[in-house]
């Protein structure tokens, strides 16, 4: 287990003592039967927070995303999303295997696209041999493309185009609360216009695992059946839901600290020879940078790890640093100093 300053991802956070206490005191029941009271409380709270009438707790955001694709599409339909989107690049081909859909990626380096980008890929022809464009997936914040928060106007453009073209919309809001913190938009202002939205609890919110999918309550039986089919029905999941409720009470306000720390890290990294920081518009808790020094990026990162600091690779010579609740302002200063010495 890595025990240093861990920029690998915001998934590495450990439950705080307060969260562990909430977990230990959770009231529990059988979630598969809808009888876990803590899970139900979490679902109701997230539904309200995101402006939807239905919500269900999932073991992971991956499962919630894939279920949404399956729910909203028919076999052979096409899904439009950014090429670097998690649903396309990090769910093991789930769109093909679970939802039986075709992927139509939008290639850009921000993950934020426009209504015109959708129009460019939308199949206007109605001949019998064309697949049907069915769904647009927005990832907010966009993870591998830079941790970028979509602005209101950008969301409006995509949502109004989707509506005009009769397309369904899914929000992969794994880091939705970061997007809200960065833009000042309320979570429901971001999520409510989508047909479905995933909120992940195990990223910046600091829970051990879990995600909530929101949708129109008319879908509740379909969602429950698909979740059971995918092996996602749980039993005493209240111990995990309690962590989620705790996180919503205690870990949301602090997300802007991570954004500030990311800004400071970007500034510090930019002063180090061999490093080029990607400049992003509306960044949140992530910093992407390129290593172009004399030694290889692998060798450089091995040296970094020897100093108990870890990043993750996001491409050849491209690295990602993710800020989260287990990394303090002091850790960031220490990191900059150590990297300068290396
Ligand atoms: C944008 C995005 N969506 C979905 C997921 C999947 O989350 P989980 O690990 O809960 O399956 C991740 C995980 O990193 C992510 O970054």
């Amino acid at each position: 287990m890595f025990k240093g300053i861990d920029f690998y991802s915001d998934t590495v956070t450990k439950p705080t003592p307060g969260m562990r206490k909430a977990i230990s005191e959770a009231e529990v029941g059988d979630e598969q039967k809808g009888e876990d009271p803590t899970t139900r409380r979490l679902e109701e709270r997230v539904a309200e927070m995101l402006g939807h009438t239905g919500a269900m707790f999932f073991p992971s955001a991956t499962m919630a995303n894939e279920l949404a694709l399956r729910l909203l599409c028919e076999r052979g339909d096409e899904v439009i999303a950014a090429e670097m989107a998690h649903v396309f690049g990090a769910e093991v081909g789930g769109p093909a295997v679970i939802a039986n859909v075709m992927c139509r990626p939008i290639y850009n380096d921000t993950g934020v696209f426009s209504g015109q980008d959708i129009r460019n890929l939308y199949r206007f022809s109605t001949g019998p041999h064309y697949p049907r464009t069915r769904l647009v997936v927005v990832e907010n914040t966009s993870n591998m493309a830079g941790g970028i928060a979509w602005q209101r106007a950008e969301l409006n453009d995509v949502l109004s185009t989707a509506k005009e073209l009769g397309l369904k919309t899914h929000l992969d809001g794994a880091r939705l609360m970061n997007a809200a913190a960065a833009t000042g938009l309320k979570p429901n202002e971001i999520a409510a216009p989508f047909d479905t939205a995933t909120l992940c609890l195990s990223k910046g919110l600091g829970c051990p695992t879990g995600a909530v999918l929101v949708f129109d309550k008319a879908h509740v039986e379909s969602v429950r059946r698909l979740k059971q089919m995918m092996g996602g029905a749980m039993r005493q999941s209240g111990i995990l839901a309690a962590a989620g409720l705790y996180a919503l009470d205690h870990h949301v306000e602090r997300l802007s600290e991570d954004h500030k720390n990311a800004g400071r890290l970007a500034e510090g990294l930019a002063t180090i020879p061999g490093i080029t920081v990607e400049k992003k518009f509306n960044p949140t808790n992530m910093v992407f940078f390129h290593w172009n020094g004399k030694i290889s990026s692998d060798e450089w990162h091995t040296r970094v790890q020897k100093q108990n600091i870890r990043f993750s690779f996001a491409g050849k010579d491209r690295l990602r640093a993710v800020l989260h609740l287990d990394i303090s302002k002091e850790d960031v200063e220490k990191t900059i100093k150590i990297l300068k010495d290396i």
Side-chain angles (χ1 to χ4, degrees):
M1 189 176 82
F2 182 80
K3 280 197 175 146
I5 306 176
D6 201 349
F7 295 94
Y8 182 83
S9 174
D10 44 12
T11 56
V12 301
T13 52
K14 309 264 182 351
T16 59
M19 184 177 279
R20 286 174 190 266
K21 184 164 182 291
I23 289 170
S24 71
E25 290 170 357
E27 200 189 344
V28 295
D30 191 339
E31 189 274 336
Q32 190 201 52
K33 294 186 172 49
E35 288 176 0
D36 185 280
T38 311
T39 301
R40 292 188 72 142
R41 269 204 296 134
L42 175 69
E43 290 168 343
E44 281 161 21
R45 180 154 171 197
V46 175
E48 195 188 335
M49 188 176 84
L50 301 190
H52 280 258
T53 50
M56 210 169 286
F57 187 43
F58 281 79
S60 70
T62 298
M63 190 184 280
N65 278 343
E66 291 301 331
L67 187 141
L69 264 59
R70 172 77 193 241
L71 180 76
L72 299 173
C73 297
E74 286 177 25
R75 296 174 80 185
D77 284 347
E78 277 187 341
V79 175
I80 294 177
E83 189 264 336
M84 280 191 252
H86 198 274
V87 286
F88 284 174
E91 298 185 3
V92 208
V97 176
I98 295 167
N100 308 140
V101 292
M102 310 240 295
C103 300
R104 280 212 102 187
I106 293 173
Y107 292 88
N108 69 21
D109 58 6
T110 62
V112 178
F113 50 87
S114 66
Q116 187 55 48
D117 290 323
I118 297 173
R119 279 176 205 286
N120 292 345
L121 296 183
Y122 178 81
R123 294 190 189 268
F124 287 95
S125 308
T126 52
H129 38 284
Y130 296 110
R132 182 171 43 184
T133 316
R134 171 72 80 161
L135 173 69
V136 177
V137 177
V138 164
E139 186 176 295
N140 190 12
T141 65
S142 68
N143 175 0
M144 294 310 269
I148 297 169
W150 288 57
Q151 297 298 297
R152 175 78 275 160
E154 294 161 339
L155 288 168
N156 286 352
D157 182 28
V158 159
L159 286 161
S160 61
T161 304
K163 195 167 177 194
E164 196 187 313
L165 298 174
L167 301 174
K168 303 273 183 202
T169 52
H170 172 65
L171 172 67
D172 179 356
R175 295 180 181 81
L176 168 59
M177 303 312 274
N178 293 84
T183 57
L185 292 168
K186 294 200 181 79
N188 66 337
E189 289 174 322
I190 300 173
F194 287 84
D195 289 297
T196 51
T198 299
L199 170 72
C200 189
L201 301 167
S202 68
K203 309 279 174 335
L205 295 179
C207 296
T209 190
V212 179
L213 180 73
V214 294
F215 45 83
D216 187 293
K217 71 173 190 292
H219 293 308
V220 70
E221 276 321 305
S222 306
V223 174
R224 192 166 287 291
R225 286 179 66 80
L226 287 170
K227 182 173 138 182
Q228 173 75 26
M229 185 197 288
M230 291 164 73
M234 294 175 276
R235 299 298 182 182
Q236 287 69 36
S237 59
I239 58 166
L240 296 171
L245 287 164
Y246 181 90
L248 294 177
D249 287 334
H250 298 93
H251 294 171
V252 173
E253 292 285 305
R254 59 155 309 287
L255 287 173
S256 46
E257 278 173 45
D258 296 340
H259 300 179
K260 231 191 265 171
N261 288 341
R264 172 64 192 128
L265 181 68
E267 215 175 77
L269 288 174
T271 64
I272 297 172
I275 289 180
T276 311
V277 178
E278 286 182 18
K279 290 209 170 42
K280 297 289 184 182
F281 195 53
N282 303 320
T284 52
N285 65 329
M286 297 183 185
V287 182
F288 286 78
F289 59 97
H290 297 255
W291 172 256
N292 41 34
K294 283 187 189 143
I295 55 173
S296 72
S297 51
D298 282 334
E299 169 62 20
W300 178 76
H301 193 238
T302 302
R303 291 188 195 179
V304 170
Q305 287 179 89
K306 281 193 186 136
Q307 300 298 320
N308 290 322
I309 296 169
R310 180 168 76 158
F311 302 107
S312 58
F313 274 89
K316 179 155 169 36
D317 302 330
R318 182 179 188 239
L319 291 102
R320 183 185 72 163
V322 188
L323 281 293
H324 51 73
L325 57 76
D326 290 342
I327 298 182
S328 65
K329 194 170 147 199
E330 290 70 33
D331 289 331
V332 170
E333 295 306 332
K334 193 170 156 192
T335 299
I336 296 168
K337 185 177 175 320
I338 291 174
L339 295 186
K340 276 186 178 160
D341 292 346
I342 290 175

